[in-house]
Each structure stands twice: as structure tokens, then as C-alpha cells.
Amino acid sequence: MFSCEHNISVKIAENSAEVLAAQRLRYDVFVKELGSDGPYVDHSNKLERDQFDDYSDHLIAIDKQSGSVVGAYRLLRQCNAEQLGQFYSETEYDISLLKQSDHKLLELGRSCLHRDHRGGLVMRELWIGIAEFAFQHKDTLLFGVASFGGNNINCFGHSLSYLHHNYLAKDELRPKARSPMAVSMNLIPKEKLNRKKALIQMPSLIKAYLRLGGTVGDGAYVDTAFNTIDICFILDTSQLNSKKKHIYTRASQ
């Protein structure tokens, strides 16, 4: 058990039933709410899953009153990605610079919350769990893809341009979106950006990564099957925003 506050407990899924509960929540959020699909989606059993799940750890948040899984994150450690042959992010981004670095990598993905638990508490507890998991395994760099809902790049011009102009990862680590689905995030000149509009357009998860000190890769990726526009984020655990660092230091106390 990583965290247990209020009516929420957070842990790594310990059995197939708990993994299925996470995949069922993913189906509700990604498929039913956001219109995602893909070759591995199991519509008959209402499960969103893929080939990366069997190699990953599944962090789940449980409502102690109902016993239901109300939040989930998929965590893919570098050693397990090497067994599989790739990280999920490599289907969309060239991350060779990350893999060549001295960092020990942990990929975060498939983040989702039940619609009745989207207000901060569950995500905060999941992040405490991620922090403690990373600390236990000595992971130094967190990364993954995060999504804008829908495939219309013009709907998110201010947000994507804001990320491009202000949050690009340093050259020696910067992932690059893969062709042919790569699109430039440099859609609006910096001097014409509307910061307020950019932040309104931006999903709360991406804003959370930025607040924690995150940076992004070069270019966005249009995932037509999943009905999203994805960016690749990077979060160096040694460079966390000082205002949020207490989330991580709790893991080492």
C-alpha cells in the first residue's frame, strides 16, 4: 500500500481482478467518454487494454466505501520495456536520446479517473504512489504521452504553441514525434499567443506535469485510433518544481 488517505487507498494491482478493474475504468473513460478505439480494445467485456499491460505495473486508487477502482496509472519500468522490446511512447515518438542517457526510465501512461472523483484528491494520491514507486526502483526520469481529446489540431493551437515556446525539453533528451502522424506544435508565433486561452484549452493532467517541472518533446502526434492529439512529456525527478517537491520527498521519509 503506497497511500491511504480519507476514503482513498492507492496500491499496485496485485491480481488479475484488480488489473481488469483498471482496464474497465480505462474503457469507461477512454472509449465511452472520449471515443477511443484500437485493435486491442475488448468491447464485449468493456476493457481497454493492449500488449503493454502484461509488462506493466498498474497503480490503482480504490474508493474504500464502495471498493471500486476510481483511478489508475500504468507504470512501465525500463527493464520490462526492454523485455517487451519497446516503450508504448515509442509507437509515437523517437525517444532514443532518453534511452541513451544515464537516466533510469519509468514510463507513465493510461492515466484516468472516474468521473465522480475528478477534483484533485485521487490524482494527488496517485502521484504519491508514483513517487514512492519511482523511489523504490531508483527511477530518475519519468516520461510518457499525454493527450488532448480529439484529432483537430486547430482546436488546440494556443496550447500546443504555448508548450512549444515555453516548455521544450533540452536538446540532449528531447523526443521527436514520428512521421507520418507528427504535426508541429509551433502553430502561433510567441508574440501572438493568448496565455489564458492556452491554459483553458490545456488538459488538467498536462498542466499538472508542467507544475511539477515537466517539459515536452518536439512535435505532437495525431492518434486517429485513440481520437487524441498526444504530446510527450518528460519529468526529471531531480528537477521537480520546489513547490511540489514534498510529494516526492514523502517517499523517502
Side-chain angles (χ1 to χ4, degrees):
M1 187 78 66
F2 285 130
S3 180
C4 186
E5 298 231 354
H6 305 282
N7 291 318
I8 301 297
S9 61
V10 171
K11 58 180 283 192
I12 294 294
E14 298 174 346
N15 51 56
S16 60
E18 291 180 339
V19 173
L20 286 171
Q23 293 171 335
R24 195 167 295 114
L25 176 64
R26 284 161 43 180
Y27 186 93
D28 288 343
V29 173
F30 298 133
V31 180
K32 292 173 67 174
E33 288 189 40
L34 302 179
S36 302
D37 203 354
Y40 295 94
V41 173
D42 183 347
H43 291 287
S44 60
N45 293 304
K46 294 182 168 48
L47 301 173
E48 194 284 306
R49 56 187 180 184
D50 63 23
Q51 71 272 36
F52 295 89
D53 283 339
D54 289 343
Y55 292 83
S56 301
D57 291 281
H58 299 269
L59 187 69
I60 55 176
I62 301 171
D63 183 326
K64 291 187 287 185
Q65 290 186 327
S66 66
S68 300
V69 171
V70 296
Y73 246 108
R74 184 170 71 186
L75 312 179
L76 181 55
R77 297 171 57 202
Q78 187 166 5
C79 57
N80 293 332
E82 289 170 352
Q83 290 182 25
L84 175 60
Q86 66 175 146
F87 287 101
Y88 173 85
S89 299
E90 290 182 271
T91 64
E92 302 184 3
Y93 281 82
D94 178 353
I95 63 166
S96 55
L97 293 176
L98 296 182
K99 294 169 70 175
Q100 292 165 14
S101 73
D102 294 330
H103 289 283
K104 188 176 178 184
L105 306 178
L106 175 64
E107 183 182 54
L108 313 183
R110 291 303 198 269
S111 168
C112 61
L113 300 176
H114 187 280
R115 66 175 66 204
D116 295 335
H117 292 268
R118 295 171 189 168
L121 173 63
V122 176
M123 184 55 74
R124 175 184 175 275
E125 295 303 304
L126 284 169
W127 267 97
I128 291 172
I130 291 170
E132 298 191 3
F133 185 91
F135 176 77
Q136 286 181 6
H137 295 286
K138 297 180 172 56
D139 299 306
T140 60
L141 193 145
L142 314 180
F143 77 103
V145 297
S147 304
F148 292 81
N151 284 163
N152 188 346
I153 196 78
N154 295 318
C155 291
F156 310 108
H158 284 274
S159 288
L160 293 170
S161 300
Y162 181 76
L163 292 172
H164 174 83
H165 292 304
N166 297 287
Y167 289 98
L168 278 182
K170 50 190 177 182
D171 291 341
E172 60 266 32
L173 290 176
R174 190 181 302 167
K176 186 175 179 60
R178 295 186 183 276
S179 298
M181 304 310 293
V183 293
S184 174
M185 295 196 297
N186 187 11
L187 303 172
I188 299 172
K190 189 172 185 177
E191 63 273 13
K192 294 184 178 180
L193 271 180
N194 184 322
R195 183 178 182 275
K196 181 177 180 181
K197 188 172 184 179
L199 294 176
I200 289 173
Q201 291 177 346
M202 195 176 297
S204 58
L205 180 61
I206 296 177
K207 287 187 281 191
Y209 289 142
L210 300 183
R211 287 194 297 269
L212 287 165
T215 57
V216 301
D218 180 12
Y221 184 93
V222 180
D223 186 342
T224 54
F226 222 65
N227 191 34
T228 59
I229 295 169
D230 299 339
I231 58 97
C232 188
F233 69 89
I234 303 169
L235 181 59
D236 187 333
T237 58
S238 69
Q239 299 295 321
L240 289 172
N241 184 303
S242 59
K243 293 182 181 178
K244 302 295 181 180
K245 197 168 184 178
H246 69 277
I247 294 176
Y248 283 81
T249 54
R250 169 173 162 172
S252 60
Q253 291 175 351

